[in-house]
Amino acid sequence: MKKNLVLCGFMGSGKSTIGHLLAEKLGMRFVDTDTYIEEKEGMTISRIFEEKGEEYFRMRELEVCKELSSLKGSVISTGGGTLLREKNVKAIKKNGVVFLLNISSGTVLTRLRNDTSRPLLQREDREKAVKTLLSQRTPLYNLAADYVIDAEESPRKVCLKIMDIYNSL
Ligand code: S3P
């Protein structure tokens, strides 16, 4: 059985949309780590951040990465902060090949202009926050990634590029 196909990248890079498409086209199971945590906690990510704090959420992310490392042949989309931590990367890569979806800060801001579901971006200086976070995180995303994909194009095109690589492994 092949390794899990893992998607990583910044908020708004299309991980969930592209993950769904990939799973459908490849006939694989799809797991979204944010949805998984929300279901287990019985509340949204925003409420988890509000009521239990970001550190609690980060701890849950590590548990999920460990749990998911026992899966095989699944498409896993991670949260934008998941693969910034070495322990999470180590767990997810045990049985997964990681694709980084690369996008510019301008694209993030356009795609998420009406979004209210990302607690880290609910602030007045959203543009500055996106630019700072993206430049801090990019080196770490690159460290985690086995393949870096330009994700500025349509989800369908990005999906095809990833499938080409994954199918050749
Ligand atoms: C986060 C990204 C979110 C979610 C949480 C924190 C981050 O996931 O996990 O709001 O730290 O970048 P998406 O990347 O799916 O938006």
Side-chain angles (χ1 to χ4, degrees):
M1 175 77 83
K2 277 179 103 158
K3 282 196 167 188
N4 297 315
L5 191 170
V6 181
L7 298 178
C8 97
F10 203 76
M11 293 169 266
S13 58
K15 302 179 296 285
S16 305
T17 309
I18 292 161
H20 262 298
L21 267 176
L22 282 165
E24 202 180 283
K25 290 204 188 289
L26 293 164
M28 289 161 71
R29 172 183 170 182
F30 176 62
V31 187
D32 180 309
T33 58
D34 284 338
T35 311
Y36 192 83
I37 294 173
E38 287 184 328
E39 279 168 4
K40 292 228 160 183
E41 289 287 322
M43 59 174 102
T44 62
I45 305 279
S46 296
R47 272 200 57 207
I48 300 173
F49 268 66
E50 229 174 271
E51 292 185 12
K52 303 189 170 180
E54 181 173 352
E55 257 328 291
Y56 175 83
F57 174 73
R58 299 301 177 196
M59 189 193 79
R60 297 292 285 120
E61 283 189 307
L62 173 58
E63 285 166 14
V64 169
C65 288
K66 286 184 176 161
E67 264 177 67
L68 299 183
S69 71
S70 65
L71 289 181
K72 287 200 175 89
S74 301
V75 176
I76 300 172
S77 106
T78 60
T82 314
L83 297 189
L84 298 172
R85 300 192 175 198
E86 212 182 321
K87 278 187 183 167
N88 300 7
V89 176
K90 213 170 155 196
I92 214 88
K93 286 185 87 151
K94 242 190 197 165
N95 210 7
V97 50
V98 178
F99 292 81
L100 165 61
L101 304 184
N102 236 351
I103 47 164
S104 67
S105 55
T107 303
V108 174
L109 287 161
T110 309
R111 288 188 187 168
L112 300 184
R113 65 186 173 281
N114 297 319
D115 178 78
T116 54
S117 69
R118 271 87 170 186
L120 296 180
L121 301 183
Q122 301 318 301
R123 36 194 298 162
E124 299 261 307
D125 60 344
R126 177 182 273 214
E127 184 172 346
K128 193 167 156 229
V130 166
K131 286 185 175 157
T132 308
L133 275 178
L134 187 60
S135 65
Q136 285 169 348
R137 290 175 166 194
T138 300
L140 299 169
Y141 288 148
N142 277 292
L143 271 181
D146 295 298
Y147 299 95
V148 180
I149 307 292
D150 173 2
E152 297 281 344
E153 292 176 290
S154 71
R156 209 182 61 85
K157 282 192 182 158
V158 176
C159 175
L160 289 175
K161 280 197 275 192
I162 296 175
M163 270 172 61
D164 269 354
I165 300 172
Y166 185 74
N167 284 333
S168 72
L169 297 176

